[in-house]
Amino acid sequence: MKQHPHPATHPLGCSVTLANMPNCQVSLALIDTETTGLDPAEDELIGMSILLGRVDLHSGGLFQVLDRYTGWRQPGRFSRRAQRITGMNRAKLRGHSIDWSRVQRLIAQADLLVGHAMDVDRSFLLPWLPQLAHKPVACSLRDIDWFGMQGMERADIDYLAEVLGVSVEASTEGVPPERDCDTLSRILAQPLPAEPDRTGFQALISAACRRTQG
């Protein structure tokens, strides 16, 4: 893959172009959550997945998965509607709790946190992980112009995977966050439809760096 000419700075602040960054790597944590709804004031987190890996800035691909974790927790309230949407139920979640110490260790190793609806994910995770407020983040739904520039009709993970030819593994648990993290990692490692010399990962790293420098 060609090196793209767009400047890309490391999330921790170094300001150089890709051409001047031999063997430069960025550690990324892809995060996805499962919740009982979309309002963190009313709804609850019931599950999360985190995939920690390294991205090479020249190729733009996720070349090494370092670690991963998926955890579930028993909510206080869980409506029938939320159970239908998530594919989970009270029996499956009874007695479960998330290992927050392990999640914290994974996040501490990441230069950048990535999610497909990062604002929503972070709002549900902040009560448990206040350090998220100080970590650079990128949203693969917001920071890539899938509609205008990339010409996509939709921007949900399943649609993007289908259009880009990325396999999506079936699951008996509905749509758990682990599956979405895996699928998103493959989507972002692909060249963007309208920018064949640039992957989704490279676009997100550039977007995060612009915010950091600003």
Side-chain angles (χ1 to χ4, degrees):
M1 182 179 297
K2 294 188 299 181
Q3 295 175 7
H4 64 73
H6 305 280
T9 50
H10 192 281
L12 296 182
C14 60
S15 179
V16 287
T17 63
L18 288 182
N20 296 325
M21 297 178 73
N23 302 318
C24 188
Q25 304 167 9
V26 173
S27 295
L28 291 168
L30 282 82
I31 294 175
D32 191 64
T33 60
E34 196 75 73
T35 65
T36 61
L38 297 177
D39 184 355
E42 299 290 335
D43 301 306
E44 292 189 56
L45 176 77
I46 59 171
M48 71 161 297
S49 187
I50 178 168
L51 187 156
L52 180 68
R54 288 198 182 106
V55 170
D56 176 83
L57 282 180
H58 287 288
S59 69
L62 183 71
F63 72 91
Q64 183 181 14
V65 174
L66 301 174
D67 203 352
R68 64 171 70 227
Y69 171 75
T70 296
W72 299 92
R73 65 178 294 272
Q74 178 179 335
R77 295 175 294 175
F78 201 6
S79 69
R80 292 182 182 275
R81 181 175 180 274
Q83 291 180 51
R84 288 195 302 271
I85 292 173
T86 62
M88 302 298 289
N89 57 50
R90 292 183 181 278
K92 289 180 180 179
L93 297 176
R94 188 172 294 117
H96 283 267
S97 61
I98 294 173
D99 185 347
W100 292 112
S101 295
R102 183 171 178 188
V103 174
Q104 289 172 352
R105 289 194 297 271
L106 293 176
I107 287 175
Q109 298 176 63
D111 299 316
L112 178 66
L113 308 181
V114 173
H116 201 58
M118 196 62 202
D119 290 343
V120 176
D121 291 332
R122 189 164 64 163
S123 66
F124 276 95
L125 291 170
L126 272 172
W128 309 91
L129 302 165
Q131 66 267 40
L132 291 186
H134 308 291
K135 295 287 288 192
V137 299
C139 178
S140 53
L141 181 62
R142 183 193 64 210
D143 289 331
I144 296 176
D145 184 3
W146 294 110
F147 299 101
M149 186 171 188
Q150 305 303 330
M152 298 291 102
E153 295 179 4
R154 306 202 318 261
D156 57 274
I157 289 177
D158 286 345
Y159 174 81
L160 293 176
E162 179 181 357
V163 171
L164 296 176
V166 170
S167 63
V168 179
E169 295 182 3
S171 171
T172 58
E173 298 280 0
V175 186
E178 184 174 8
R179 191 208 73 160
D180 282 353
C181 279
D182 283 338
T183 305
L184 185 60
S185 72
R186 298 189 193 107
I187 290 171
L188 296 176
Q190 302 297 313
L192 291 169
E195 300 174 87
D197 62 340
R198 193 183 201 199
T199 69
F201 278 128
Q202 289 169 326
L204 292 181
I205 291 168
S206 293
C209 291
R210 286 194 297 270
R211 282 193 292 271
T212 300
Q213 290 184 321

